[in-house]
Amino acid sequence: MLFRHTFEPIPALHYVYEHLQLTSNLGRHYLLELPFCNDAALLEKEFDLLEKTLALVQDDNCRTKLQHIRNHLHQINDIRPTLDALHSGDVVLDDIQLFEIKKTAILTRRIAEDFRAIGCDFFPLEEMDAVVSLLDPEHTNIPHFYIYAAYDPELAKWRERIQNAQSVQEAEEFRFQAQKVEDKVRAQLTAQLQPHGDAIRRNLDTLAHFDLVLAKARLAIDWHACRPTLSDHTELLGLFNPEVAAALSEKGRTFQPVDIRFNRETILVTGANMAGKSVLLKTVALAQYLCQFGFYVPAAQATLAVVDEVISSIGDKQSEISGLSSFAVEILTIDKIIKQGRAGSKVLALVDELARTTNPEEGKRLVGNFIRLTQKLGITALVTTHYSGIDASCRRLRVKGLQLHENQALTVGNISDYMDYSLVETDADEVPMEAFAIAKLFGVDEELTR
């Protein structure tokens, strides 16, 4: 899966995308085409780069140079179509294409100088001196381009004759001769640039990568995110959801971080209505995706097991898009989880209120069967439910839920102040029954809550 494919199943990643301070279109394209990575060694390399870049961002002595680099990055365009044309060998580059290459080479050289000044040797850029020399024979170091007279003595001669022409017809004849020389120069420059095309492309990739890592570092600072440790189990301490936290902050409230630990197992999560079970699953999904796209994780401490795929069934949005019923989409997602597990994939399955839209008897059977299958196939799964009497052996967690004392007034506006979102181990087969209690606390019609 590519990053750009995640916005629909995990909308929180679109929130991440919107808050990344990417400087260039190169960086934006690099992120959108970034693959979900299940190679622990590659992820560790990315985290190393992010850690080193984070140190630069936090060093006041580097602030000015980093701003210079960002300014240069902002001016660099995606010239891969021009490089494709250069590589083909079938065309002669025009003045605009030659200008694009010259500008890119000059800006890349300036960024390389700034990298050296701040000790950023972990994003190596290839030398562009030869390219700049070819396209800047007068050594102006200014990113503009035209066919300089210095390229060919004949060109200087014809241009002088144009200036001294005695008639319009004579000037046009001289101009035609000059254009023939200019065309010859363009063909020569194209041929001379061809050996440098791959180096320019590699530099574009490096700059795009740096832009993304720099944006990741700034986001990690803003969100107080941590570097994840890769292991064979998952332990998320102080896990929080940045999007939900920001929404609560606007209302003068705070997000309660949670702790959760699990191995390659299935966990049944229960809790009252409004206890944050859905948010928990979405936040675990966000943490896993961020980790495997090479981001720091929004938690105080994070240890994660690398998986091949995250499959979630949270909410009805997909059913609206597909035209299928909520249950149809849900059951097809569950079937996909099982099939991937049977195929040997390491799956993290996040299932919210499985079979909630069918009758309770069938619903409980489906939940029980799903838990037994995930346990049998070694699928890591978090499953929330409101059903009591689930006939399956698995680890169970419960959200603590409402913590009310006498004479405390509960309202729609303050209910979250009395909700404890912490997870506790439980052996109980019964789920909390607080729907009527909450309805009564809200003061709804008494006949409704008899």
Side-chain angles (χ1 to χ4, degrees):
M1 175 181 281
L2 303 180
F3 190 87
R4 61 185 170 89
H5 294 148
T6 64
F7 296 160
E8 190 175 288
I10 308 294
L13 283 170
H14 193 268
Y15 181 82
V16 172
Y17 176 70
E18 290 177 333
H19 285 76
L20 273 174
Q21 298 179 50
L22 289 162
T23 304
S24 67
N25 286 330
L26 285 171
R28 190 165 291 105
H29 183 271
Y30 189 95
L31 170 62
L32 292 174
E33 298 301 315
L34 194 66
F36 183 78
C37 179
N38 61 2
D39 186 322
L42 290 178
L43 287 171
E44 291 290 9
K45 287 181 180 179
E46 184 72 4
F47 296 143
D48 287 343
L49 289 174
L50 181 46
E51 186 172 322
K52 292 175 182 177
T53 305
L54 191 58
L56 294 179
V57 173
Q58 294 174 318
D59 186 343
D60 290 340
N61 295 322
C62 297
R63 185 174 301 170
T64 300
K65 288 296 183 184
L66 283 174
Q67 188 56 53
H68 287 169
I69 292 167
R70 295 188 75 209
N71 291 341
H72 296 326
L73 278 171
H74 183 67
Q75 298 176 62
I76 293 180
N77 298 322
D78 185 353
I79 66 166
R80 279 172 295 188
T82 293
L83 296 178
D84 290 341
L86 179 65
H87 180 74
S88 73
D90 297 331
V91 298
V92 173
L93 300 184
D94 60 28
D95 287 6
I96 292 176
Q97 292 170 314
L98 292 167
F99 160 73
E100 289 176 337
I101 292 176
K102 178 181 179 181
K103 177 183 175 184
T104 300
I106 288 175
L107 291 172
T108 300
R109 195 165 66 172
R110 291 175 183 173
I111 292 172
E113 291 170 357
D114 287 332
F115 275 179
R116 285 191 290 272
I118 60 176
C120 182
D121 57 357
F122 39 92
F123 282 98
L125 292 168
E126 299 191 37
E127 287 288 346
M128 288 288 101
D129 289 351
V131 175
V132 175
S133 295
L134 276 173
L135 300 176
D136 189 21
E138 296 182 353
H139 309 294
T140 63
N141 204 34
I142 299 172
H144 69 81
F145 179 81
Y146 74 105
I147 303 298
Y148 298 90
Y151 282 126
D152 193 307
E154 284 291 305
L155 188 55
K157 180 185 73 174
W158 289 115
R159 285 178 176 173
E160 183 179 355
R161 289 182 178 181
I162 292 169
Q163 294 295 322
N164 298 323
Q166 300 299 311
S167 67
V168 172
Q169 182 178 357
E170 189 176 51
E172 285 301 314
E173 174 60 28
F174 295 155
R175 188 171 289 110
F176 175 74
Q177 296 298 328
Q179 287 174 349
K180 287 170 59 177
V181 178
E182 289 175 1
D183 289 342
K184 182 180 74 172
V185 170
R186 291 186 187 94
Q188 291 171 341
L189 288 174
T190 299
Q192 290 171 313
L193 285 169
Q194 273 186 324
H196 303 284
D198 289 343
I200 297 170
R201 191 184 297 273
R202 286 191 293 270
N203 280 343
L204 289 179
D205 290 340
T206 298
L207 293 173
H209 190 189
F210 173 78
D211 190 18
L212 175 57
V213 173
L214 182 62
K216 287 179 178 180
R218 294 162 70 92
L219 191 70
I221 292 170
D222 290 345
W223 287 355
H224 304 286
C226 71
R227 174 173 178 161
T229 299
L230 303 182
S231 185
D232 58 355
H233 68 282
T234 294
E235 182 175 24
L236 298 164
L237 306 181
L239 177 67
F240 66 95
N241 188 303
E243 183 176 12
V244 178
L248 290 173
S249 180
E250 289 179 1
K251 299 176 182 178
R253 288 148 57 188
T254 58
F255 185 95
Q256 180 188 337
V258 297
D259 299 343
I260 186 167
R261 303 168 181 83
F262 51 88
N263 295 306
R264 199 166 180 178
E265 60 185 327
T266 297
I267 300 176
L268 192 63
V269 182
T270 61
N273 293 304
M274 304 175 66
K277 301 186 298 299
S278 299
V279 172
L280 170 68
L281 296 191
K282 291 176 181 178
T283 309
V284 169
L286 176 64
Q288 191 74 43
Y289 272 108
L290 286 176
C291 172
Q292 293 193 233
F293 280 117
F295 286 76
Y296 277 13
V297 172
Q301 295 180 46
T303 299
L304 291 106
V306 174
V307 299
D308 296 322
E309 189 173 3
V310 180
I311 305 178
S312 59
S313 176
I314 308 172
D316 296 333
K317 190 171 183 179
Q318 183 59 39
S319 64
E320 298 168 5
I321 296 170
S322 66
L324 297 173
S325 70
S326 298
F327 179 74
V329 170
E330 179 183 49
I331 207 66
L332 288 172
T333 302
I334 296 305
D335 187 54
K336 179 182 177 182
I337 292 169
I338 299 304
K339 285 178 178 175
Q340 291 297 91
R342 289 192 190 280
S345 292
K346 288 188 286 187
V347 176
L348 172 61
L350 303 165
V351 182
D352 191 27
E353 301 291 350
L354 175 56
R356 66 188 178 281
T357 57
T358 190
N359 72 71
E361 288 305 312
E362 285 189 315
K364 284 192 286 187
R365 284 175 55 197
L366 277 170
V367 174
N369 289 341
F370 178 68
I371 290 172
R372 281 187 287 276
L373 269 171
T374 53
Q375 297 273 58
K376 173 184 174 182
L377 297 172
I379 295 171
T380 303
L382 301 182
V383 184
T384 69
T385 188
H386 270 113
Y387 291 136
S388 295
I390 301 297
D391 181 22
S393 176
C394 68
R395 185 173 159 218
R396 298 173 186 241
L397 296 175
R398 176 178 59 81
V399 182
K400 282 188 177 179
L402 276 174
Q403 305 294 306
L404 278 176
H405 303 290
E406 287 187 33
N407 301 322
Q408 286 181 319
L410 189 69
T411 67
V412 173
N414 73 1
I415 186 171
S416 65
D417 296 336
Y418 303 108
M419 193 72 74
D420 187 339
Y421 299 101
S422 301
L423 296 168
V424 293
E425 300 278 349
T426 180
D427 294 325
D429 188 40
E430 298 296 317
V431 302
M433 301 179 66
E434 298 178 347
F436 274 65
I438 292 173
K440 288 177 180 178
L441 287 168
F442 281 152
V444 301
D445 191 296
E446 290 184 4
E447 288 191 47
L448 186 65
T449 55
R450 286 178 180 173

